[in-house]
Amino acid sequence: MAAKILANLLVMGGGILARAVVQAYRQALTNAAKTGVAQETIQNTIRRASKAMTEQEARQILGVSAETPWEDIIKKYDSLFESNAKSGSFYLQSKVQRAKECLEEIQHGKSQNTTS
């Protein structure tokens, strides 16, 4: 008998709690829509998702300047990539790889412009 009452209380309590959470969520959405927070959050999410590495950031990661020859950039990349492979920092290794890819695209674009 006590188990049945306890089970009944748990089911009823769970239902009440679920309705309260849904109601609070709806109210939060309404408030966010009124203040424009929802739109700002969506825009920030889109901006972060589409953010590509800039040339300046790539050069900063590799520690090179705009005047650095391509061969020196490759040497610097190899050095940083290997040192991060040894230390086990996959995040930094990935950043170094993305920086090289970014500068390769720019280098490829420059080489196409000079041949045209």
Side-chain angles (χ1 to χ4, degrees), residues 9-25:
L9 283 174
L10 285 174
V11 169
M12 286 176 43
I16 292 169
L17 183 63
R19 282 193 296 272
V21 167
V22 169
Q23 186 179 7
Y25 182 73

mmCIF file with all atom_site columns, all heavy atoms in Angstrom, residues 9-25:
data_model
loop_
_atom_site.group_PDB
_atom_site.id
_atom_site.type_symbol
_atom_site.label_atom_id
_atom_site.label_alt_id
_atom_site.label_comp_id
_atom_site.label_asym_id
_atom_site.label_entity_id
_atom_site.label_seq_id
_atom_site.pdbx_PDB_ins_code
_atom_site.Cartn_x
_atom_site.Cartn_y
_atom_site.Cartn_z
_atom_site.occupancy
_atom_site.B_iso_or_equiv
_atom_site.pdbx_formal_charge
_atom_site.auth_seq_id
_atom_site.auth_comp_id
_atom_site.auth_asym_id
_atom_site.auth_atom_id
_atom_site.pdbx_PDB_model_num
ATOM 1   N N   . LEU A 1 9  ? 2.757  9.456  -5.819  1.00 0.00 ? 9  LEU A N   1
ATOM 2   C CA  . LEU A 1 9  ? 3.323  10.769 -5.518  1.00 0.00 ? 9  LEU A CA  1
ATOM 3   C C   . LEU A 1 9  ? 4.465  11.110 -6.474  1.00 0.00 ? 9  LEU A C   1
ATOM 4   O O   . LEU A 1 9  ? 4.587  12.255 -6.931  1.00 0.00 ? 9  LEU A O   1
ATOM 5   C CB  . LEU A 1 9  ? 3.823  10.813 -4.074  1.00 0.00 ? 9  LEU A CB  1
ATOM 6   C CG  . LEU A 1 9  ? 2.751  10.953 -2.996  1.00 0.00 ? 9  LEU A CG  1
ATOM 7   C CD1 . LEU A 1 9  ? 3.380  10.830 -1.610  1.00 0.00 ? 9  LEU A CD1 1
ATOM 8   C CD2 . LEU A 1 9  ? 2.034  12.283 -3.128  1.00 0.00 ? 9  LEU A CD2 1
ATOM 9   N N   . LEU A 1 10 ? 5.305  10.126 -6.785  1.00 0.00 ? 10 LEU A N   1
ATOM 10  C CA  . LEU A 1 10 ? 6.410  10.360 -7.708  1.00 0.00 ? 10 LEU A CA  1
ATOM 11  C C   . LEU A 1 10 ? 5.910  10.706 -9.110  1.00 0.00 ? 10 LEU A C   1
ATOM 12  O O   . LEU A 1 10 ? 6.432  11.612 -9.762  1.00 0.00 ? 10 LEU A O   1
ATOM 13  C CB  . LEU A 1 10 ? 7.326  9.136  -7.767  1.00 0.00 ? 10 LEU A CB  1
ATOM 14  C CG  . LEU A 1 10 ? 8.243  8.929  -6.561  1.00 0.00 ? 10 LEU A CG  1
ATOM 15  C CD1 . LEU A 1 10 ? 8.996  7.611  -6.678  1.00 0.00 ? 10 LEU A CD1 1
ATOM 16  C CD2 . LEU A 1 10 ? 9.214  10.073 -6.428  1.00 0.00 ? 10 LEU A CD2 1
ATOM 17  N N   . VAL A 1 11 ? 4.907  9.986  -9.580  1.00 0.00 ? 11 VAL A N   1
ATOM 18  C CA  . VAL A 1 11 ? 4.360  10.244 -10.918 1.00 0.00 ? 11 VAL A CA  1
ATOM 19  C C   . VAL A 1 11 ? 3.720  11.632 -10.965 1.00 0.00 ? 11 VAL A C   1
ATOM 20  O O   . VAL A 1 11 ? 3.946  12.408 -11.898 1.00 0.00 ? 11 VAL A O   1
ATOM 21  C CB  . VAL A 1 11 ? 3.350  9.145  -11.317 1.00 0.00 ? 11 VAL A CB  1
ATOM 22  C CG1 . VAL A 1 11 ? 2.584  9.531  -12.566 1.00 0.00 ? 11 VAL A CG1 1
ATOM 23  C CG2 . VAL A 1 11 ? 4.070  7.821  -11.517 1.00 0.00 ? 11 VAL A CG2 1
ATOM 24  N N   . MET A 1 12 ? 2.932  11.950 -9.949  1.00 0.00 ? 12 MET A N   1
ATOM 25  C CA  . MET A 1 12 ? 2.284  13.266 -9.908  1.00 0.00 ? 12 MET A CA  1
ATOM 26  C C   . MET A 1 12 ? 3.328  14.379 -9.794  1.00 0.00 ? 12 MET A C   1
ATOM 27  O O   . MET A 1 12 ? 3.234  15.400 -10.471 1.00 0.00 ? 12 MET A O   1
ATOM 28  C CB  . MET A 1 12 ? 1.298  13.339 -8.742  1.00 0.00 ? 12 MET A CB  1
ATOM 29  C CG  . MET A 1 12 ? 0.028  12.552 -8.986  1.00 0.00 ? 12 MET A CG  1
ATOM 30  S SD  . MET A 1 12 ? -1.118 12.518 -7.582  1.00 0.00 ? 12 MET A SD  1
ATOM 31  C CE  . MET A 1 12 ? -1.131 14.168 -6.995  1.00 0.00 ? 12 MET A CE  1
ATOM 32  N N   . GLY A 1 13 ? 4.321  14.177 -8.930  1.00 0.00 ? 13 GLY A N   1
ATOM 33  C CA  . GLY A 1 13 ? 5.378  15.175 -8.766  1.00 0.00 ? 13 GLY A CA  1
ATOM 34  C C   . GLY A 1 13 ? 6.175  15.371 -10.038 1.00 0.00 ? 13 GLY A C   1
ATOM 35  O O   . GLY A 1 13 ? 6.531  16.498 -10.396 1.00 0.00 ? 13 GLY A O   1
ATOM 36  N N   . GLY A 1 14 ? 6.454  14.287 -10.735 1.00 0.00 ? 14 GLY A N   1
ATOM 37  C CA  . GLY A 1 14 ? 7.173  14.370 -12.000 1.00 0.00 ? 14 GLY A CA  1
ATOM 38  C C   . GLY A 1 14 ? 6.386  15.129 -13.050 1.00 0.00 ? 14 GLY A C   1
ATOM 39  O O   . GLY A 1 14 ? 6.936  15.934 -13.801 1.00 0.00 ? 14 GLY A O   1
ATOM 40  N N   . GLY A 1 15 ? 5.097  14.892 -13.103 1.00 0.00 ? 15 GLY A N   1
ATOM 41  C CA  . GLY A 1 15 ? 4.241  15.601 -14.064 1.00 0.00 ? 15 GLY A CA  1
ATOM 42  C C   . GLY A 1 15 ? 4.194  17.089 -13.765 1.00 0.00 ? 15 GLY A C   1
ATOM 43  O O   . GLY A 1 15 ? 4.269  17.921 -14.671 1.00 0.00 ? 15 GLY A O   1
ATOM 44  N N   . ILE A 1 16 ? 4.053  17.419 -12.490 1.00 0.00 ? 16 ILE A N   1
ATOM 45  C CA  . ILE A 1 16 ? 4.020  18.835 -12.093 1.00 0.00 ? 16 ILE A CA  1
ATOM 46  C C   . ILE A 1 16 ? 5.345  19.510 -12.427 1.00 0.00 ? 16 ILE A C   1
ATOM 47  O O   . ILE A 1 16 ? 5.374  20.622 -12.955 1.00 0.00 ? 16 ILE A O   1
ATOM 48  C CB  . ILE A 1 16 ? 3.684  18.961 -10.589 1.00 0.00 ? 16 ILE A CB  1
ATOM 49  C CG1 . ILE A 1 16 ? 2.243  18.517 -10.336 1.00 0.00 ? 16 ILE A CG1 1
ATOM 50  C CG2 . ILE A 1 16 ? 3.908  20.376 -10.089 1.00 0.00 ? 16 ILE A CG2 1
ATOM 51  C CD1 . ILE A 1 16 ? 1.902  18.360 -8.862  1.00 0.00 ? 16 ILE A CD1 1
ATOM 52  N N   . LEU A 1 17 ? 6.425  18.837 -12.131 1.00 0.00 ? 17 LEU A N   1
ATOM 53  C CA  . LEU A 1 17 ? 7.750  19.390 -12.411 1.00 0.00 ? 17 LEU A CA  1
ATOM 54  C C   . LEU A 1 17 ? 7.952  19.587 -13.916 1.00 0.00 ? 17 LEU A C   1
ATOM 55  O O   . LEU A 1 17 ? 8.463  20.618 -14.349 1.00 0.00 ? 17 LEU A O   1
ATOM 56  C CB  . LEU A 1 17 ? 8.832  18.469 -11.847 1.00 0.00 ? 17 LEU A CB  1
ATOM 57  C CG  . LEU A 1 17 ? 10.271 18.951 -12.004 1.00 0.00 ? 17 LEU A CG  1
ATOM 58  C CD1 . LEU A 1 17 ? 10.486 20.245 -11.227 1.00 0.00 ? 17 LEU A CD1 1
ATOM 59  C CD2 . LEU A 1 17 ? 11.242 17.893 -11.527 1.00 0.00 ? 17 LEU A CD2 1
ATOM 60  N N   . ALA A 1 18 ? 7.546  18.624 -14.719 1.00 0.00 ? 18 ALA A N   1
ATOM 61  C CA  . ALA A 1 18 ? 7.690  18.724 -16.173 1.00 0.00 ? 18 ALA A CA  1
ATOM 62  C C   . ALA A 1 18 ? 6.893  19.901 -16.716 1.00 0.00 ? 18 ALA A C   1
ATOM 63  O O   . ALA A 1 18 ? 7.386  20.662 -17.560 1.00 0.00 ? 18 ALA A O   1
ATOM 64  C CB  . ALA A 1 18 ? 7.259  17.427 -16.840 1.00 0.00 ? 18 ALA A CB  1
ATOM 65  N N   . ARG A 1 19 ? 5.658  20.074 -16.245 1.00 0.00 ? 19 ARG A N   1
ATOM 66  C CA  . ARG A 1 19 ? 4.845  21.209 -16.694 1.00 0.00 ? 19 ARG A CA  1
ATOM 67  C C   . ARG A 1 19 ? 5.479  22.533 -16.286 1.00 0.00 ? 19 ARG A C   1
ATOM 68  O O   . ARG A 1 19 ? 5.463  23.503 -17.050 1.00 0.00 ? 19 ARG A O   1
ATOM 69  C CB  . ARG A 1 19 ? 3.438  21.098 -16.135 1.00 0.00 ? 19 ARG A CB  1
ATOM 70  C CG  . ARG A 1 19 ? 2.566  20.089 -16.879 1.00 0.00 ? 19 ARG A CG  1
ATOM 71  C CD  . ARG A 1 19 ? 1.092  20.213 -16.508 1.00 0.00 ? 19 ARG A CD  1
ATOM 72  N NE  . ARG A 1 19 ? 0.837  19.893 -15.095 1.00 0.00 ? 19 ARG A NE  1
ATOM 73  C CZ  . ARG A 1 19 ? 0.592  18.674 -14.626 1.00 0.00 ? 19 ARG A CZ  1
ATOM 74  N NH1 . ARG A 1 19 ? 0.559  17.651 -15.467 1.00 0.00 ? 19 ARG A NH1 1
ATOM 75  N NH2 . ARG A 1 19 ? 0.366  18.474 -13.354 1.00 0.00 ? 19 ARG A NH2 1
ATOM 76  N N   . ALA A 1 20 ? 6.047  22.587 -15.096 1.00 0.00 ? 20 ALA A N   1
ATOM 77  C CA  . ALA A 1 20 ? 6.691  23.817 -14.628 1.00 0.00 ? 20 ALA A CA  1
ATOM 78  C C   . ALA A 1 20 ? 7.911  24.162 -15.482 1.00 0.00 ? 20 ALA A C   1
ATOM 79  O O   . ALA A 1 20 ? 8.131  25.330 -15.820 1.00 0.00 ? 20 ALA A O   1
ATOM 80  C CB  . ALA A 1 20 ? 7.089  23.679 -13.158 1.00 0.00 ? 20 ALA A CB  1
ATOM 81  N N   . VAL A 1 21 ? 8.689  23.148 -15.841 1.00 0.00 ? 21 VAL A N   1
ATOM 82  C CA  . VAL A 1 21 ? 9.870  23.378 -16.670 1.00 0.00 ? 21 VAL A CA  1
ATOM 83  C C   . VAL A 1 21 ? 9.457  23.877 -18.053 1.00 0.00 ? 21 VAL A C   1
ATOM 84  O O   . VAL A 1 21 ? 10.040 24.823 -18.579 1.00 0.00 ? 21 VAL A O   1
ATOM 85  C CB  . VAL A 1 21 ? 10.723 22.092 -16.768 1.00 0.00 ? 21 VAL A CB  1
ATOM 86  C CG1 . VAL A 1 21 ? 11.776 22.205 -17.858 1.00 0.00 ? 21 VAL A CG1 1
ATOM 87  C CG2 . VAL A 1 21 ? 11.370 21.785 -15.430 1.00 0.00 ? 21 VAL A CG2 1
ATOM 88  N N   . VAL A 1 22 ? 8.459  23.264 -18.646 1.00 0.00 ? 22 VAL A N   1
ATOM 89  C CA  . VAL A 1 22 ? 7.981  23.684 -19.969 1.00 0.00 ? 22 VAL A CA  1
ATOM 90  C C   . VAL A 1 22 ? 7.457  25.117 -19.909 1.00 0.00 ? 22 VAL A C   1
ATOM 91  O O   . VAL A 1 22 ? 7.750  25.936 -20.785 1.00 0.00 ? 22 VAL A O   1
ATOM 92  C CB  . VAL A 1 22 ? 6.901  22.708 -20.496 1.00 0.00 ? 22 VAL A CB  1
ATOM 93  C CG1 . VAL A 1 22 ? 6.203  23.275 -21.728 1.00 0.00 ? 22 VAL A CG1 1
ATOM 94  C CG2 . VAL A 1 22 ? 7.513  21.356 -20.803 1.00 0.00 ? 22 VAL A CG2 1
ATOM 95  N N   . GLN A 1 23 ? 6.701  25.436 -18.874 1.00 0.00 ? 23 GLN A N   1
ATOM 96  C CA  . GLN A 1 23 ? 6.160  26.785 -18.723 1.00 0.00 ? 23 GLN A CA  1
ATOM 97  C C   . GLN A 1 23 ? 7.295  27.802 -18.546 1.00 0.00 ? 23 GLN A C   1
ATOM 98  O O   . GLN A 1 23 ? 7.266  28.879 -19.152 1.00 0.00 ? 23 GLN A O   1
ATOM 99  C CB  . GLN A 1 23 ? 5.208  26.847 -17.534 1.00 0.00 ? 23 GLN A CB  1
ATOM 100 C CG  . GLN A 1 23 ? 4.503  28.184 -17.397 1.00 0.00 ? 23 GLN A CG  1
ATOM 101 C CD  . GLN A 1 23 ? 3.542  28.201 -16.209 1.00 0.00 ? 23 GLN A CD  1
ATOM 102 O OE1 . GLN A 1 23 ? 3.511  27.267 -15.427 1.00 0.00 ? 23 GLN A OE1 1
ATOM 103 N NE2 . GLN A 1 23 ? 2.774  29.261 -16.101 1.00 0.00 ? 23 GLN A NE2 1
ATOM 104 N N   . ALA A 1 24 ? 8.300  27.476 -17.769 1.00 0.00 ? 24 ALA A N   1
ATOM 105 C CA  . ALA A 1 24 ? 9.433  28.381 -17.572 1.00 0.00 ? 24 ALA A CA  1
ATOM 106 C C   . ALA A 1 24 ? 10.214 28.582 -18.867 1.00 0.00 ? 24 ALA A C   1
ATOM 107 O O   . ALA A 1 24 ? 10.654 29.697 -19.181 1.00 0.00 ? 24 ALA A O   1
ATOM 108 C CB  . ALA A 1 24 ? 10.349 27.832 -16.486 1.00 0.00 ? 24 ALA A CB  1
ATOM 109 N N   . TYR A 1 25 ? 10.373 27.515 -19.638 1.00 0.00 ? 25 TYR A N   1
ATOM 110 C CA  . TYR A 1 25 ? 11.080 27.605 -20.911 1.00 0.00 ? 25 TYR A CA  1
ATOM 111 C C   . TYR A 1 25 ? 10.314 28.503 -21.879 1.00 0.00 ? 25 TYR A C   1
ATOM 112 O O   . TYR A 1 25 ? 10.907 29.349 -22.548 1.00 0.00 ? 25 TYR A O   1
ATOM 113 C CB  . TYR A 1 25 ? 11.266 26.202 -21.506 1.00 0.00 ? 25 TYR A CB  1
ATOM 114 C CG  . TYR A 1 25 ? 12.027 26.196 -22.801 1.00 0.00 ? 25 TYR A CG  1
ATOM 115 C CD1 . TYR A 1 25 ? 13.400 26.424 -22.820 1.00 0.00 ? 25 TYR A CD1 1
ATOM 116 C CD2 . TYR A 1 25 ? 11.380 25.966 -24.012 1.00 0.00 ? 25 TYR A CD2 1
ATOM 117 C CE1 . TYR A 1 25 ? 14.101 26.424 -24.009 1.00 0.00 ? 25 TYR A CE1 1
ATOM 118 C CE2 . TYR A 1 25 ? 12.074 25.964 -25.199 1.00 0.00 ? 25 TYR A CE2 1
ATOM 119 C CZ  . TYR A 1 25 ? 13.438 26.192 -25.196 1.00 0.00 ? 25 TYR A CZ  1
ATOM 120 O OH  . TYR A 1 25 ? 14.123 26.197 -26.379 1.00 0.00 ? 25 TYR A OH  1
#
